[in-house]
Amino acid sequence: MTASAAPLPRALSPEARTAVYYSTLFMGAALSNVYAGLWMAGKGLSPDEIGAVNAVPLAVMLVLNWLVGRLADRASDWRGVIVGGALLAALFPLGFFAADGFWGILLVWTLAGLPHMATVPVLDAAAMRMTARRGTAFGALRAWGTAGYLAVLLVAGWVMERLGPAGFAPLMVGLAAVRAVAALGLPRFRAPEGETEARGARHLREVMRPWFLLPLLGGAAVMATHLVLNAFQGLLWQAQGFGLGTISLLIALGAASEMLVFFAFGRIFGRFRARTLMLASAGLTALRWAMMAQAPGLPMAILLQASHGLTFAMGFLAAVQFIANWTSEEIAAEAQGFFVVLQQALSVATMSGFGLLMAHWGVGAHWGSAAVAGLGALAIWASWRLQGP
């Protein structure tokens, strides 16, 4: 089957076919976020080695994301790069069956993760352009990614209890294969010949100015603070006396809130300017982390998790919209990849800093996250002062 062939019915709209792929996009991440550490520990890796295995792909992506974005923009359509990445991301996980020891697992984990991580910003940029041209909602498509993540999160525990740690590798391979099959059904994203939009910068250097960079830095700082939840929040809640079942429900509540905002973004927030929403997201994020630093009880924890849609999803969609407002299709993936590079760089710094603060202050480490989000809000506000909409 060629890359242009699609197993999904052509009667499905481009949005429906993209939504199907989005629904598979983060399934593997849901499984690995919960069980990869346990699988690696069962293979004999120490906590430091597990941390290194997770950090190396992020470090490589600091270079690769921007490069892949530039290559995707130069292709006849972004679809080819996305499909190619999905196929590679389905092939490399087969190495999990043979991987053993630190270096073997590091190699397979990196090779399996890079094609997927490199094409996510390309997909976001492509879907954003397609929906803008067709008058549909990008947020509603992106919501299906959270829906797939949440579905695996809820089912994985039941499956892994029955299969044990040995079930991790076949499940990862199976989920990657499902994603690759769904990728074959993706539509063409670029505007047809003669309908390409003319507005927006045609080269990234045209917008490399403080008024454009500051919101991206601010938005990346806000996104980076949310990664702390995946790495540390379960431990902090457990230290507060929350049971594992309660912690799982709190994590699921955050994902559900995120999905709701993604679905409703256009109807509720469509009238607001992108930087206004980015600033609101940053301010709410700083408040959220400041309240979490107080080690609140369960009722307040529920409320703070319910705000995840406003602090994360609203800020993410507003940032994607801001980039699309000022750039043309010719650099769509490159510009989105640049934003992701900023997120990854700040994520490494934020995660490292939070770990150090947590060792000394425990839950008070959230004050550091609140400060980072506050600086992000200041950067976005400064952009308004430099250049209005």
Side-chain angles (χ1 to χ4, degrees):
M1 180 178 291
T2 63
S4 62
L8 295 178
R10 286 295 182 179
L12 290 179
S13 69
E15 288 83 358
R17 292 153 65 189
T18 306
V20 168
Y21 181 63
Y22 261 118
S23 71
T24 68
L25 196 61
F26 303 112
M27 287 181 171
L31 181 67
S32 63
N33 283 347
V34 180
Y35 295 104
L38 297 174
W39 177 76
M40 292 180 196
K43 289 283 189 176
L45 271 62
S46 67
D48 289 345
E49 289 174 331
I50 294 173
V53 168
N54 283 281
V56 167
L58 291 176
V60 176
M61 287 311 303
L62 291 175
V63 176
L64 198 58
N65 254 328
W66 201 349
L67 175 61
V68 172
R70 295 188 67 178
L71 292 174
D73 285 333
R74 284 156 177 73
S76 60
D77 189 65
W78 299 294
R79 180 185 182 277
V81 172
I82 299 168
V83 173
L87 294 176
L88 287 175
L91 175 64
F92 288 129
L94 292 171
F96 284 131
F97 292 114
D100 199 18
F102 171 71
W103 292 108
I105 291 174
L106 173 63
L107 176 63
V108 174
W109 188 265
T110 302
L111 290 176
L114 290 181
H116 169 66
M117 290 189 290
T119 55
V120 170
V122 178
L123 174 66
D124 287 338
M128 181 70 198
R129 300 293 170 157
M130 179 189 72
T131 53
R133 186 177 69 251
R134 291 170 56 86
T136 50
F138 167 69
L141 298 187
R142 184 59 177 75
W144 286 102
T146 305
Y149 178 94
L150 184 57
V152 171
L153 202 63
L154 295 175
V155 174
W158 180 83
V159 175
M160 289 296 292
E161 280 184 3
R162 283 150 181 79
L163 297 180
F168 177 77
L171 284 176
M172 285 293 288
V173 170
L175 292 174
V178 169
R179 184 174 61 216
V181 171
L184 296 175
L186 285 170
R188 178 180 173 84
F189 291 102
R190 283 191 188 274
E193 191 72 24
E195 296 182 20
T196 304
E197 60 176 282
R199 68 179 181 86
R202 299 177 60 185
H203 302 282
L204 198 57
R205 63 177 178 270
E206 296 175 22
V207 287
M208 282 297 185
R209 304 288 187 272
W211 64 266
F212 183 78
L213 292 174
L214 284 171
L216 298 189
L217 281 169
V222 171
M223 298 297 104
T225 62
H226 283 81
L227 288 184
V228 168
L229 293 174
N230 292 336
F232 299 106
Q233 192 54 50
L235 295 174
L236 291 172
W237 277 329
Q238 198 169 33
Q240 289 178 234
F242 292 0
L244 292 178
T246 300
I247 292 172
S248 297
L249 290 175
L250 287 171
I251 295 173
L253 175 61
S257 171
E258 175 184 316
M259 183 172 62
L260 179 63
V261 171
F262 276 142
F263 272 123
F265 182 83
R267 292 189 294 273
I268 298 177
F269 303 108
R271 73 193 72 174
F272 298 100
R273 298 191 183 279
R275 275 181 287 181
T276 301
L277 295 175
M278 293 176 71
L279 183 58
S281 169
L284 289 171
T285 299
L287 177 61
R288 180 185 181 186
W289 303 148
M291 295 181 71
M292 291 187 76
Q294 312 300 314
L298 183 58
M300 182 56 68
I302 291 174
L303 179 62
L304 293 175
Q305 280 298 97
S307 72
H308 185 75
L310 296 177
T311 61
F312 177 79
M314 182 176 73
F316 170 78
L317 291 178
V320 173
Q321 181 65 63
F322 174 74
I323 294 169
N325 287 345
W326 293 98
T327 57
S328 69
E329 279 197 359
E330 295 180 39
I331 59 167
E334 181 182 0
Q336 185 65 27
F338 175 68
F339 178 54
V340 172
V341 167
L342 293 178
Q343 290 180 56
Q344 290 167 339
L346 291 174
S347 294
V348 171
T350 301
M351 296 275 281
S352 301
F354 192 93
L356 292 173
L357 292 176
M358 181 177 163
H360 293 88
W361 293 353
V363 73
H366 279 301
W367 283 115
S369 294
V372 171
L375 290 173
L378 184 62
I380 298 166
W381 175 82
S383 171
W384 272 114
R385 302 290 295 176
L386 291 172
Q387 179 164 317

